[in-house]
Amino acid sequence: MLYKNPYNNYFDYVVQRDMDKCIRCKDCVTQCSYDANFYDEERDLIYSLDSNCVGCMRCSTFCPTDCIRIVRNPDTFRINANWKDNNVKDLYKQAGTGGIIITGMGNDKPYKNYWEHMVIDACQVTNPSIDPLREPMELRTFLGRKPDRLEVNKDGDITTKLAPQLVLETPIMFSAMSYGSINYNVCESVARAAKELGIYWNTGEGGLPDTLYEYGKHTIVQCASGRFGVSPEYLNAGAAIEIKIGQGAKPGIGGHLPGEKVLEGISRTRMIPVGTDAISPAPHHDIYSIEDLRQLIYALKEATRYEKPVSVKIAAVHNVAAIASGIARAGADIIAVDGFRGGTGAAPKSIRDNVGIPTEVAIASVDQRLREEGIRHQVSLVAAGGFRNSSDIVKAIALGADAVYIATSALMAVGCTLCQQCHRGRCAWGITTNDPELSKRVNPEIGAERLVNLIRAWSNEIKEMLGLMGINSIESLKGNRDRLRGVGLSEIELQTLDIKQAGM
Amino acid sequence: MKYVIIGNSYAAVFAVESLRKTDKSGEITIISKEPYHVYARAAIHEYMDGTIGDAQMYYRDKDFYEKHRVTTIFGRTVTGVEPEKNRVVLDNKQKIDFDKLMISSGGVPIVPPIEDFKGVGTFTFTTWDDAKVLKDWVKKQKMPQAVVIGGGLIGLQCAEGLKHMGVDVTVVELADYVLVKALDSITAQRVQQWLTHNGLKVITGNTVVSINRAKGRITGVKLKNGEKVKCNTVVLSIGVRPNTSLVEGSGIKVNRGIMVDNSMQTNVEGIFSGGDVAEAEDFLRKKGEVMPIIPVATMQGKIAGFNMAGEKRTYPGGLLQNAFQFFGKSVVSIGNVISIDHNDGFEEIIKDEGDVYKKAVLQDGKLVGVLSMNYIARIGIYNSIIRSRMDVTGIKDKLLSDKFGFLDLPKEFRDEMLTKPG
Amino acid sequence: MTEKINEDGMKIVYPREQWCIACNLCEVACMTEHSRTKDPLRAYLIEKPRPVSRTKVEYLPPVAVSVMCRHCAEAECVEACKNGTLTRDEKTGKIELDRDKCLGCWMCIMACPYGVITQVRKEEKAVANKCDLCPDREIPACVAVCPNRALVFEDRG
């Protein structure tokens, strides 16, 4: 509490402890990784240093007597509609440090959330709805280039040579999170869940640890601007390869894994020395045009004997539709579009909160553009960036996505409470940390189970929603915008999303 | 198969239990001179002063012999063993045949050459009957005053018991301090101070040479230095020696005790021994030693039982261990805590803070002994360390910390201990 | 160590140190399960004597492990016990502790190579205290409460 610069001593949360209910079990003390809780042996008291609290709720959820409440610091600056609390605190922080403010997770600003302004249609009388408990309901999704036409011989067998496809048992995948940004246990949780669910997880740009090669058939291996961990074995180990151009949380900038996070396992996997910073440049230094991108796509296809689909992931930005069209023409089999609510392990706050566009509109415009150009079938479209539940996913597919990527939701299933401290490497929930003591807080057995539960629950809800729309296959929902209506949207918004106003 | 077990205490019980685990049908006979169902010999002082009653004295449930199908011959003493005839002879000349014999006849009190040590007012203190007789006697005295000869464990326990009963007690010990076999001089002196603090009189470096009587009743004792101590009760407790008289002339080899190998077998095939009468290998010194303590007796009984029934087991060697309390203060000693010769690679680590005294003895970097006073939490872990013979040089500093535990020990050792069935 | 044979095979609690996060909830659960009121608050704050956990969380960052009775097939505590307070139930394999019988001589604490026998007050005196595998529960309380499966109830015999 002492020796702090008062100009910087503004903090967000207060740990309230009901001492009548405290049994001195010291659970809160051992669980806090930010040194906010202490035990004073002499007084036999537990107390808190509120200014260290990040509001991650690790202590309050673990407290066996529920004696802890994490509350917003009631300290209030004079109310000012222009200078909101966070504007003031950020300013003070920077005046104190002179640094860029770094944060984790996705854009948390109250931009309009279009999912909440779209509603789903249902069958009544004139067209029957389907009961998914009684009738088959197909969620299986194929990602990859589809042929212009399909030829079938007289026995009914397809004779057209098909491009390689990813087969998803449900249209949800785990989005790119690198080994290093999340620890091994979380990677293993995600990989195990993907395998059990019959879907895919994505290595991000951290490479694939040797011990996770067994999950290769359910792995999308990423090739990003830093090329960390990329080798022929790596490319061939996965089911698909993804070229990462951009990320929704920080479009246009690169990545930076600080040297202190580069421990033995990460060093080996990324193929860089222990303790060195892993810097991913903002652009790929060999890609300055669609033609350059095409070269990389085909180099990767060549390296994997054209057996694996290649995906290109971009951040959702203003002219995303035109870029996507170029990517499709460059030979990509899948395009992943990451909206600005997508998470990150570390990004400048000013960028996270102000750059990029929502995935809802990006998907709508990309799908629209590809259809208009007659190349929609040449490429699959994966939406990413802030999916919170099954209805968001249903709406994304109705807007034109083939499948979605989730990462923030996945981490939440494993424990994340969105405290946005990922960049500090001290995650109390043991997710975005490589500290050996904290990392073991995620037991992959439990992590995988919880992920499987979440995706199963969402898949069942998706089936229910398909059923009420009278649809028995997810394929029939794709781009089926007539199933959506807008509520509280302007005409231009409805136009952009290409949906009708509710009531019409 | 006929098994005969001489004795009915800790070693005998474990022999029976392991025999029955392996051989469900053989006949087992226990011969004991005491007429009691197996009882806690080590708790007789607590029985005497009324801390515990009969229920807490019985070592095993009432149906122990039935359940294990044991024939008991109580109140009889074995006077001879005849290996060539495979039989033992009882004091009533009865002969009992055996195929396998276990001799766990325990110890007998050592009686020193004290003038007039017999008759009214003199007691020994090793059996339940001893405790009962002494208890009755003390109750009858108007002003009970007792001299306990011997400041060993049993003597002091008896003295404490007597003190609790309101007896004015003086302990006379020949050595320079009490508990000379179990403790080092520092702890022994602290124990002695504590005893004195609680009203016991302790005389060391001295011994009783004669008992004074008037009209047949004891009036006091005379010490070696000529001093006299007034009393009406004398308890002799200078220790026990292996009760080996029954094997005299049998060809069974005796050194201090009956010598046994690591299967607890004597030099005569089929004849085993264990408990206070036996001399088996000392884990640390790797030579024969009589160790009259419970964990050694029970382990020897167990090993003997298995081997008698044909299941091969090896005795890992005995480790001296003792835990005792006087007037609420506890002392634990494990392994070799005394007679240290620094030239022999020994090293002592001592932690002496306030009430707590802890000492670890290392030999050539290996832990060989631990002594602790007023702190006993998790002390048994040191047993595993001593038994493992691991080098502890690297953890010397942590060894006596109150937080010391498995996490201070090598991971392989910890995994071996904690991830496998105990 | 003596040679051990667990011929029956029995379920006991095993720690999995790689997942122990030192949250101490096993200790709280153990204390609560062995309290009169089965309420952690009352157990800790009101009950006299305060129940004592039978498992011990060792914590030496970054490692932690919770250690409790191994219910040894040939238990040193049983072999050291003066008066038969500690016995092995040959049917269940459990090491049983009869509190009414315990003399408080601490031979068991001295003997237990795992250091898992503690002391607890019983009326005027202290008696030995150790894991009883929660006879009223299907799964011992410590295992049920462990948020990270760092304790498992298994037969590894």
Side-chain angles (χ1 to χ4, degrees):
Chain A
M1 280 161 261
L2 203 54
Y3 305 116
K4 270 193 186 161
N5 186 340
Y7 294 106
N8 282 339
N9 199 18
Y10 299 104
F11 49 88
D12 295 332
Y13 297 97
V14 174
V15 185
Q16 286 182 349
R17 188 176 282 102
D18 180 350
M19 288 316 286
D20 286 346
K21 287 168 77 181
C22 176
I23 61 170
R24 318 293 193 271
C25 70
K26 305 180 199 77
D27 189 354
C28 55
V29 178
T30 58
Q31 293 311 297
C32 184
S33 56
Y34 297 98
D35 294 332
N37 296 322
F38 294 90
Y39 175 63
D40 183 334
E41 201 159 348
E42 227 173 302
R43 293 191 297 159
D44 188 31
L45 275 183
I46 292 182
Y47 65 97
S48 293
L49 195 52
D50 296 336
S51 55
N52 281 348
C53 177
V54 301
C56 75
M57 319 264 289
R58 180 77 182 182
C59 60
S60 65
T61 53
F62 267 71
C63 175
T65 63
D66 293 340
C67 81
I68 298 174
R69 293 279 75 77
I70 305 300
V71 296
R72 286 179 66 170
N73 187 352
D75 253 17
T76 313
F77 295 105
R78 192 175 178 87
I79 302 294
N80 186 320
N82 187 37
W83 286 96
K84 296 183 190 72
D85 195 81
N86 66 73
N87 301 129
V88 177
K89 285 177 186 162
D90 286 353
L91 186 147
Y92 289 146
K93 208 179 279 173
Q94 290 189 292
T97 63
I100 292 174
I101 293 180
I102 302 292
T103 187
M105 302 317 290
N107 189 332
D108 65 358
K109 292 293 171 286
Y111 291 97
K112 183 177 248 177
N113 187 318
Y114 289 94
W115 304 128
E116 292 170 4
H117 291 271
M118 286 185 270
V119 288
I120 298 165
D121 185 25
C123 302
Q124 296 294 304
V125 185
T126 56
N127 48 349
S129 50
I130 300 169
D131 184 345
L133 295 176
R134 291 166 194 274
E135 291 177 52
M137 189 60 76
E138 185 68 64
L139 293 189
R140 185 172 295 163
T141 302
F142 294 86
L143 300 184
R145 170 180 295 257
K146 306 295 184 292
D148 296 336
R149 51 197 298 264
L150 205 56
E151 283 168 4
V152 181
N153 66 15
K154 61 178 189 305
D155 298 328
D157 302 326
I158 297 168
T159 54
T160 313
K161 189 171 165 17
L162 293 174
Q165 305 284 318
L166 288 182
V167 186
L168 284 63
E169 293 307 319
T170 190
I172 305 168
M173 298 187 292
F174 298 122
S175 194
M177 292 180 283
S178 71
Y179 170 40
S181 73
I182 56 173
N183 60 54
Y184 182 86
N185 292 338
V186 184
C187 290
E188 188 185 333
S189 303
V190 173
R192 280 163 82 155
K195 185 177 176 184
E196 191 173 337
L197 290 161
I199 58 170
Y200 300 86
W201 69 293
N202 189 312
T203 62
E205 53 184 315
L208 182 64
D210 310 338
T211 43
L212 294 181
Y213 268 61
E214 59 174 297
Y215 299 99
K217 282 187 179 143
H218 295 275
T219 307
I220 298 174
V221 295
Q222 215 182 46
C223 171
S225 63
R227 300 285 196 275
F228 296 117
V230 178
S231 68
E233 296 74 37
Y234 169 74
L235 295 174
N236 282 293
I241 301 166
E242 182 169 87
I243 298 166
K244 180 200 175 184
I245 301 292
Q247 183 177 341
K250 44 180 178 179
I253 67 167
H256 179 183
L257 187 72
E260 52 268 28
K261 274 194 169 182
V262 181
L263 307 176
E264 179 55 36
I266 294 155
S267 136
R268 203 173 44 244
T269 307
R270 292 205 179 208
M271 304 172 190
I272 54 172
V274 172
T276 50
D277 290 8
I279 295 173
S280 301
H284 286 245
H285 288 308
D286 53 357
I287 301 177
Y288 286 84
S289 64
I290 291 294
E291 290 72 19
D292 288 346
L293 175 65
R294 185 179 177 84
Q295 275 204 2
L296 181 58
I297 291 171
Y298 277 90
L300 294 172
K301 288 190 173 189
E302 196 71 40
T304 52
R305 299 175 301 279
Y306 295 86
E307 284 166 358
K308 298 173 199 291
V310 172
S311 164
V312 175
K313 178 182 175 181
I314 53 168
V317 289
H318 302 172
N319 51 351
V320 63
I323 298 164
S325 163
I327 293 170
R329 289 166 197 283
D333 302 283
I334 300 164
I335 303 175
V337 177
D338 192 12
F340 75 167
R341 286 189 212 95
T344 174
K349 198 174 177 187
S350 54
I351 293 170
R352 186 196 74 176
D353 293 349
N354 297 286
V355 180
I357 62 170
T359 198
E360 307 89 292
V361 289
I363 288 300
S365 55
V366 169
D367 179 66
Q368 186 71 20
R369 174 72 171 259
L370 297 179
R371 282 171 194 272
E372 283 165 12
E373 295 183 3
I375 55 170
R376 178 64 184 84
H377 66 283
Q378 290 181 10
V379 70
S380 290
L381 185 55
V382 177
F387 290 96
R388 303 161 302 171
N389 50 46
S390 58
S391 62
D392 287 357
I393 296 170
V394 166
K395 291 169 190 175
I397 292 170
L399 283 179
D402 290 80
V404 304
Y405 261 146
I406 62 162
T408 299
S409 309
L411 294 189
M412 289 168 74
V414 175
C416 169
T417 55
L418 302 172
C419 73
Q420 307 189 5
Q421 306 300 310
C422 323
H423 57 290
R424 290 172 65 183
R426 296 293 304 154
C427 178
W429 290 87
I431 298 167
T432 57
T433 173
N434 300 307
D435 178 292
E437 186 181 354
L438 298 173
S439 300
K440 66 181 166 180
R441 293 181 178 189
V442 173
N443 179 343
E445 279 171 30
I446 301 172
E449 263 173 40
R450 292 182 59 86
L451 286 162
V452 168
N453 284 343
L454 179 75
I455 305 304
R456 293 233 163 103
W458 284 4
S459 301
N460 285 333
E461 287 178 346
I462 293 170
K463 286 181 181 173
E464 289 289 340
M465 283 186 267
L466 290 179
L468 62 84
M469 287 186 264
I471 296 174
N472 63 8
S473 161
I474 193 79
E475 186 65 24
S476 308
L477 178 68
K478 190 170 56 173
N480 195 343
R481 298 185 195 192
D482 200 33
R483 297 304 189 172
L484 299 176
R485 291 290 185 275
V487 174
L489 297 176
S490 68
E491 200 163 329
I492 190 75
E493 285 171 320
L494 292 168
Q495 219 173 5
T496 309
L497 292 166
D498 191 25
I499 58 173
K500 291 184 188 130
Q501 164 65 28
M504 290 179 71
Chain B
M1 189 64 80
K2 282 184 183 165
Y3 303 103
V4 170
I5 298 173
I6 304 170
N8 184 29
S9 194
Y10 299 104
V13 165
F14 271 76
V16 166
E17 286 174 347
S18 44
L19 266 176
R20 271 294 172 249
K21 267 184 204 161
T22 312
D23 185 341
K24 312 276 185 212
S25 61
E27 288 173 32
I28 304 177
T29 305
I30 281 186
I31 307 167
S32 168
K33 65 170 180 269
E34 289 183 71
Y36 297 115
H37 182 94
V38 59
Y39 68 89
R41 197 174 292 272
I44 56 172
H45 60 292
E46 286 167 288
Y47 175 83
M48 179 178 70
D49 68 18
T51 309
I52 62 172
D54 285 11
Q56 284 169 288
M57 277 299 280
Y58 289 109
Y59 186 53
R60 286 291 184 263
D61 287 343
K62 282 212 172 69
D63 61 355
F64 175 76
Y65 302 112
E66 266 170 55
K67 217 171 80 186
H68 292 85
R69 295 186 307 288
V70 174
T71 311
T72 56
I73 302 176
F74 287 164
R76 286 284 155 225
T77 309
V78 176
T79 52
V81 177
E82 299 175 351
E84 67 289 345
K85 292 183 179 151
N86 270 13
R87 65 186 193 188
V88 297
V89 185
L90 307 188
D91 51 356
N92 64 354
K93 307 292 179 220
Q94 196 189 336
K95 299 188 174 57
I96 311 283
D97 296 333
F98 64 80
D99 296 313
K100 298 275 169 74
L101 175 68
M102 162 79 170
I103 306 171
S104 46
S105 48
V108 285
I110 300 170
V111 181
I114 298 170
E115 241 178 83
D116 204 20
F117 184 78
K118 57 182 178 261
V120 182
T122 60
F123 303 88
T124 53
F125 197 70
T126 56
T127 65
W128 198 352
D129 276 343
D130 287 346
K132 287 180 175 175
V133 172
L134 181 56
K135 184 177 190 168
D136 291 345
W137 166 264
V138 166
K139 277 189 181 160
K140 275 187 252 159
Q141 308 303 310
K142 275 196 200 110
M143 277 190 44
Q145 285 178 306
V147 165
V148 175
I149 306 172
L153 182 56
I154 298 170
L156 293 183
Q157 285 177 335
C158 175
E160 181 181 353
L162 290 170
K163 185 71 205 168
H164 289 316
M165 294 167 73
V167 181
D168 180 27
V169 189
T170 304
V171 177
V172 182
E173 166 61 44
L174 181 62
D176 289 340
Y177 49 82
V178 296
L179 294 165
V180 68
K181 282 182 190 155
L183 303 182
D184 65 0
S185 61
I186 295 175
T187 41
Q189 278 159 29
R190 288 187 193 181
V191 167
Q192 197 165 322
Q193 281 166 14
W194 179 242
L195 296 174
T196 313
H197 176 81
N198 281 280
L200 288 186
K201 292 179 198 119
V202 183
I203 298 170
T204 54
N206 215 331
T207 189
V208 172
V209 289
S210 63
I211 296 172
N212 306 328
R213 293 181 190 267
K215 293 178 202 160
R217 294 185 73 89
I218 296 174
T219 56
V221 295
K222 191 175 153 199
L223 305 182
K224 198 172 67 180
N225 64 355
E227 215 178 295
K228 284 178 180 167
V229 182
K230 245 182 87 180
C231 68
N232 47 30
T233 308
V234 177
V235 183
L236 181 74
S237 175
I238 61 170
V240 292
R241 57 175 176 75
N243 180 16
T244 55
S245 58
L246 72 168
V247 299
E248 271 168 29
S250 67
I252 296 170
K253 272 196 196 160
V254 176
N255 184 29
R256 281 199 56 226
I258 297 175
M259 294 167 75
V260 290
D261 61 16
N262 278 348
S263 64
M264 304 316 292
Q265 191 163 238
T266 66
N267 62 312
V268 179
E269 206 187 316
I271 300 185
F272 296 74
S273 182
D276 294 5
V277 73
E279 182 177 318
E281 190 178 78
D282 175 337
F283 176 76
L284 290 169
R285 294 185 181 87
K286 300 289 171 213
K287 62 179 180 99
E289 197 78 64
V290 177
M291 285 190 184
I293 58 169
I294 298 169
V296 164
T298 50
M299 196 200 280
Q300 292 179 344
K302 175 182 79 182
I303 302 285
F306 279 123
N307 284 316
M308 286 164 81
E311 184 181 329
K312 279 229 168 309
R313 288 295 196 93
T314 306
Y315 181 63
L319 187 61
L320 265 184
Q321 303 172 49
N322 240 318
F324 41 83
Q325 294 162 87
F326 296 108
F327 302 101
K329 284 203 177 184
S330 14
V331 182
V332 172
S333 86
I334 301 172
N336 180 3
V337 297
I338 35 177
S339 55
I340 285 180
D341 180 352
H342 286 269
N343 297 326
D344 225 13
F346 279 103
E347 184 185 356
E348 283 190 353
I349 305 167
I350 290 173
K351 191 180 157 199
D352 191 358
E353 282 169 9
D355 230 14
V356 175
Y357 177 88
K358 291 192 205 175
K359 179 169 95 172
V361 181
L362 276 53
Q363 187 182 17
D364 302 326
K366 292 175 184 134
L367 186 68
V368 294
V370 169
L371 183 58
S372 176
M373 203 171 159
N374 294 325
Y375 191 92
I376 60 169
R378 312 197 77 200
I379 195 143
I381 293 176
Y382 298 115
N383 273 312
S384 349
I385 300 172
I386 295 175
R387 289 275 187 197
S388 75
R389 309 298 288 136
M390 72 169 75
D391 189 293
V392 293
T393 326
I395 52 167
K396 264 198 309 205
D397 302 344
K398 303 174 188 166
L399 207 52
L400 295 182
S401 149
D402 291 355
K403 288 196 175 131
F404 179 75
F406 285 102
L407 295 187
D408 296 305
L409 296 166
K411 174 138 173 61
E412 308 74 59
F413 175 76
R414 187 160 76 231
D415 284 349
E416 183 66 30
M417 291 285 287
L418 301 181
T419 64
K420 297 188 176 164
Chain C
M1 294 293 98
T2 351
E3 197 186 332
K4 301 275 179 61
I5 295 176
N6 197 340
E7 68 279 6
D8 315 329
M10 70 173 297
K11 277 184 169 185
I12 64 163
V13 181
Y14 289 99
R16 299 202 298 170
E17 139 186 336
Q18 69 269 40
W19 305 124
C20 180
I21 57 175
C23 69
N24 303 331
L25 287 177
C26 50
E27 290 187 3
V28 176
C30 182
M31 179 191 77
T32 307
E33 178 64 20
H34 297 97
S35 68
R36 248 184 307 110
T37 54
K38 312 247 168 188
D39 168 348
L41 268 176
R42 294 192 149 261
Y44 180 84
L45 297 169
I46 300 170
E47 287 192 30
K48 295 261 177 337
R50 184 189 288 171
V52 174
S53 170
R54 293 130 190 248
T55 187
K56 162 88 186 153
V57 177
E58 283 190 30
Y59 181 40
L60 186 71
V63 192
V65 68
S66 186
V67 188
M68 74 295 294
C69 177
R70 320 303 311 143
H71 294 272
C72 307
E74 288 171 22
E76 270 94 334
C77 59
V78 172
E79 291 177 13
C81 179
K82 264 188 188 179
N83 74 335
T85 291
L86 285 154
T87 48
R88 181 169 196 262
D89 183 327
E90 294 299 336
K91 285 198 193 80
T92 62
K94 261 163 75 170
I95 304 298
E96 303 278 4
L97 188 155
D98 181 350
R99 285 189 174 208
D100 294 330
K101 204 168 175 183
C102 181
L103 305 171
C105 70
W106 315 136
M107 289 288 276
C108 53
I109 294 183
M110 168 199 78
C112 174
Y114 302 96
V116 292
I117 303 182
T118 54
Q119 297 163 287
V120 70
R121 295 219 64 85
K122 178 176 175 277
E123 286 135 33
E124 288 309 296
K125 58 174 197 164
V127 294
N129 188 44
K130 68 173 264 310
C131 165
D132 58 1
L133 294 173
C134 294
D136 299 342
R137 302 180 61 97
E138 209 167 302
I139 293 170
C142 55
V143 176
V145 81
C146 181
N148 210 33
R149 291 188 206 158
L151 292 173
V152 290
F153 189 44
E154 284 178 3
D155 176 6
R156 296 185 184 170

